[in-house]
Amino acid sequence: MPAPTTVATTAPADRRTDAPAIEVRGLTFRYPGAAQDSLHDVDLTIEPGDFVAVVGGNGSGKTTLCKAFNGLVPHFWNGDITGRVRVHGRSTARRSVGEIAHDVGYVFQDFGNQLVRPTVRGDVSFGPLNFGHEDWADRTDRALADLGLSDIAETHTWQLSGGQQHLTALAGALALAPSVLVVDEPAAEVDPRRAAVVYDHLTRLNQEQGITVVVIEHHAELIARYARSVVLMSGGRVRWHLPVREALARREDLADAHVPDPPVVALGRALVAEVDRGERPVPITVDECVDLLRSVVRAAPDASAVAEPAPSGAMPRARRRGALVARMVGVEHGYRTVSGDRHTVLQGLDLDLHDGDRVALVGSNGAGKSTLLSVLAGLAVPRAGAVEVDGRDTRSVSAATLADTVCYLMQRPEEMFLQDSVRADVAMHPHGRGLPDADALVERVLDRVDLTRLADRDGRLLSGGQQRRSTLAIGLAMRPRLLLLDEPTSSLDLRSRDDVIGMLEALSDHIRCTVVATHDMHLVAEWASRVVVLDHGQVIADTDPRTLFSSPDVLERARLVSPQVAQVGAALALPELPLTVDELVRQVRTIEELA
């Protein structure tokens, strides 16, 4: 296949060395047709070489603000705008998006739309080639290797998992080595090991090459570990821009914006009075938290003398088996590549799903999670083996008929919007099936996911987090018996993630079994009764969360990372591996009482 045409470009003018990397003054912006400003009178300065995390609840203006850094607002997304934005002292209003791209690299939240070439290698090389870099091939190879993509460099981008597409988009931005790099949700849909690899690479670029890094992030533990400073957005305004440790100490401000304490911060505050009173700095890493808590646990008697502490409600449910809901026997599935080779995704897979199961489906990017859900939903027919849902072979019944029993919410939320408003999309299934309580059901669901005020907006024009909540509303209004969710908490703030869990609990009378494909280990720890681990299309473990996080070999093979609270509990050698902050606190306090 021929290489993309190289477009000659003019090198950017010398940057002002005394100017901020990003300077925003009085920026106000409103999208066409919107009832209120997405940004209002924003002032912000980001100095060269900073590593900034932009945080805030869904719809707070984070993404819109960052799109102003590279000129997408207002050159691509038009609207009512006042104020100014400067990059290295040069106004974005007087430069095209292509010119600004020499200075500002950007990875979108909807990263799939950023892929423009057929293969992974072709996409990563597209920017360096078109900007006329003579070392474009070396840049491409380095970016592929750094993000673990060399083995799939010749793979077509439409054959990739969501996480692999995200890494490809990021590699394309890294290959340009801009002076400012903006990444919207670096950890979204990426397995935990690769999320750490992405952040480690961003840190190297920041520290070794002086690249200013700006990330939009909901994972508080990643913010604590990697960021130097934090910008808090709320209601389209910047509330403050502070060093990371000082920012994480602003507990009430962060809680108001639905940004939780990282588990290590919550543990420090709960167990060390000086931290809670602000007399000692909050711990922001696992190592800092462990060092802080050792003084509390050191006074304890032998851990073996401590009784099992957790009440039954906090423990994973026993592996009881209810009635069979779905069964996969010897399932093989894959696709044929453009070259004619057959790529197998699922290999001889056996899986039973039972009434009452809350299944977390985990594994690395490309392990086969989304394909498994698609086959379960009847959207794909296995090449070998059999799939039964509610006693019916999926080969003998259409996916439309199965929709009364099984609902599959896809990884890309924008693919779920077919009508001109969120309310109409949510109402499609209940109205189409003639449910007598359809209107009341739609309003209950919209209220539950906090979308009533946005119900008349087109779902395709909402923020990423709002789109995710909208697709959940579509699925919940279907009241399926088997609910399949692909990365349902990706791009969601803490309140919205907790709402997801609450909604699933509230609809347990209708939903017999829920399967969630996820990289969110906190969701696994706090919600799942059962964890199915995939690797190269095969089930390598079928267990409970506590056992999984106590199994380093399985975690390593599946590129998983246990939650911070489990890492702290393991380092402190607690009697039982904790899954939540409350569990760890209870165990430590029991130890203190026995000391």
Side-chain angles (χ1 to χ4, degrees):
M1 183 173 293
T5 302
T6 302
V7 178
T9 59
T10 302
D14 291 340
R15 304 183 183 107
R16 279 179 48 192
T17 58
D18 61 338
I22 302 289
E23 183 181 18
V24 182
R25 292 291 177 265
L27 182 62
T28 296
F29 181 77
R30 179 178 297 193
Y31 288 100
Q36 60 188 20
D37 297 334
S38 292
L39 300 174
H40 188 79
D41 198 25
V42 172
D43 290 329
L44 177 65
T45 300
I46 296 175
E47 296 297 339
D50 202 355
F51 194 127
V52 184
V54 181
V55 305
N58 295 130
S60 61
K62 304 184 300 296
T63 295
T64 302
L65 173 64
C66 289
K67 284 177 178 175
F69 297 167
N70 72 339
L72 288 175
V73 169
H75 295 310
F76 187 81
W77 276 276
N78 296 318
D80 296 330
I81 187 168
T82 59
R84 69 175 187 265
V85 180
R86 290 177 175 153
V87 178
H88 297 301
R90 304 178 67 199
S91 172
T92 59
R94 299 183 179 90
R95 305 167 68 197
S96 69
V97 173
E99 291 173 323
I100 300 169
H102 287 286
D103 292 325
V104 183
Y106 200 104
V107 180
F108 298 111
Q109 189 177 40
D110 49 349
F111 47 82
N113 293 333
Q114 195 165 350
L115 306 181
V116 296
R117 296 296 299 168
T119 68
V120 172
R121 183 183 300 280
D123 201 85
V124 174
S125 67
F126 183 79
L129 264 172
N130 277 270
F131 280 148
H133 293 294
E134 294 183 358
D135 61 343
W136 65 269
D138 290 338
R139 287 170 176 258
T140 300
D141 288 340
R142 283 197 303 270
L144 290 169
D146 283 338
L147 294 181
L149 296 173
S150 299
D151 289 344
I152 61 169
E154 309 309 325
T155 301
H156 289 85
T157 54
W158 59 81
Q159 297 172 344
L160 303 178
S161 70
Q164 290 169 330
Q165 287 183 349
H166 193 178
L167 291 169
T168 300
L170 180 57
L174 295 180
L176 286 172
S179 62
V180 178
L181 180 61
V182 181
V183 188
D184 196 343
E185 299 275 4
E189 301 180 25
V190 178
D191 63 64
R193 287 289 172 84
R194 280 199 174 95
V197 168
V198 168
Y199 266 98
D200 286 341
H201 191 68
L202 293 176
T203 299
R204 287 196 302 273
L205 290 171
N206 175 252
Q207 294 179 351
E208 297 174 8
Q209 300 182 29
I211 292 175
T212 304
V213 176
V214 180
V215 299
I216 299 174
E217 187 56 80
H218 287 297
H219 294 81
E221 61 271 23
L222 294 174
I223 296 167
R225 181 176 175 183
Y226 292 101
R228 293 186 189 177
S229 68
V230 180
V231 172
L232 176 63
M233 294 288 295
S234 179
R237 299 175 183 265
V238 172
R239 292 190 61 178
W240 42 251
H241 181 196
L242 297 169
V244 62
R245 199 178 295 273
E246 184 178 347
L248 292 175
R250 296 285 188 100
R251 188 176 194 176
E252 292 183 1
D253 289 350
L254 294 172
D256 288 344
H258 312 301
V259 179
D261 279 340
V264 292
V265 173
L267 289 170
R269 287 196 170 112
L271 293 170
V272 181
E274 294 88 348
V275 172
D276 194 43
R277 293 194 298 264
E279 297 169 4
R280 295 182 65 173
V282 295
I284 62 174
T285 67
V286 169
D287 289 342
E288 287 184 8
C289 185
V290 170
D291 290 342
L292 178 69
L293 298 186
R294 282 197 193 281
S295 60
V296 178
V297 180
R298 188 178 294 126
D302 181 6
S304 63
V306 180
E308 295 285 324
S312 59
M315 300 289 291
R317 287 195 276 176
R319 296 289 299 280
R320 294 177 299 170
R321 291 302 192 197
L324 187 68
V325 174
R327 167 167 287 172
M328 306 177 76
V329 180
V331 170
E332 292 190 8
H333 192 66
Y335 53 85
R336 192 174 295 280
T337 66
V338 174
S339 64
D341 298 329
R342 187 181 299 281
H343 177 68
T344 301
V345 180
L346 302 179
Q347 305 183 55
L349 187 142
D350 296 331
L351 181 66
D352 287 350
L353 300 174
H354 296 266
D355 207 341
D357 277 351
R358 295 179 298 178
V359 181
L361 185 63
V362 302
S364 63
N365 295 121
K369 302 184 296 297
S370 296
T371 301
L372 187 152
L373 295 184
S374 181
V375 169
L376 263 178
L379 298 178
V381 177
R383 297 186 182 278
V387 179
E388 291 184 2
V389 177
D390 217 16
R392 294 179 293 180
D393 191 315
T394 59
R395 295 179 187 276
S396 63
V397 61
S398 70
T401 302
L402 274 179
D404 286 327
T405 300
V406 55
C407 172
Y408 173 32
L409 299 185
M410 292 175 281
Q411 198 170 19
R412 302 265 74 80
E414 62 273 14
E415 295 176 3
M416 300 293 295
F417 302 120
L418 302 175
Q419 304 295 315
D420 59 2
S421 73
V422 172
R423 178 179 280 107
D425 280 313
V426 174
M428 272 190 67
H429 186 86
H431 280 169
R433 293 301 194 261
L435 299 182
D437 61 342
D439 290 336
L441 171 64
V442 169
E443 295 308 317
R444 284 200 306 272
V445 169
L446 289 171
D447 181 66
R448 187 59 189 267
V449 299
D450 193 25
L451 283 173
T452 300
R453 64 185 177 86
L454 299 174
D456 295 320
R457 295 272 303 275
D458 189 321
R460 288 157 290 203
L461 300 179
L462 299 179
S463 73
Q466 291 165 341
Q467 285 187 343
R468 188 72 60 177
R469 296 210 311 273
S470 300
T471 61
L472 286 167
I474 293 170
L476 296 176
M478 295 173 69
R479 294 193 292 192
R481 279 168 283 179
L482 175 60
L483 180 61
L484 310 175
L485 305 171
D486 203 344
E487 295 286 357
T489 60
S490 177
S491 304
L492 293 185
D493 58 35
L494 178 70
R495 185 185 70 173
S496 299
R497 189 186 74 179
D498 288 345
D499 283 346
V500 171
I501 297 174
M503 285 185 290
L504 296 178
E505 295 287 355
L507 292 174
S508 58
D509 289 343
H510 299 284
I511 301 173
R512 294 171 57 194
C513 176
T514 303
V515 182
V516 174
T518 185
H519 293 303
D520 185 346
M521 293 300 105
H522 296 287
L523 176 66
V524 174
E526 296 170 10
W527 172 78
S529 62
R530 181 180 170 194
V531 189
V532 174
V533 185
L534 288 188
D535 183 55
H536 291 93
Q538 297 180 320
V539 175
I540 63 170
D542 187 351
T543 184
D544 60 86
R546 205 181 309 274
T547 302
L548 171 64
F549 296 135
S550 302
S551 307
D553 291 345
V554 176
L555 293 174
E556 177 68 25
R557 181 176 173 185
R559 303 179 68 89
L560 304 175
V561 177
S562 58
Q564 282 190 333
V565 65
Q567 295 178 48
V568 172
L572 294 175
L574 294 180
E576 183 174 57
L577 191 75
L579 296 180
T580 67
V581 169
D582 287 344
E583 282 188 18
L584 191 149
V585 170
R586 276 197 301 270
Q587 290 196 57
V588 170
R589 285 179 175 162
T590 300
I591 290 172
E592 288 177 309
E593 291 170 1
L594 296 176

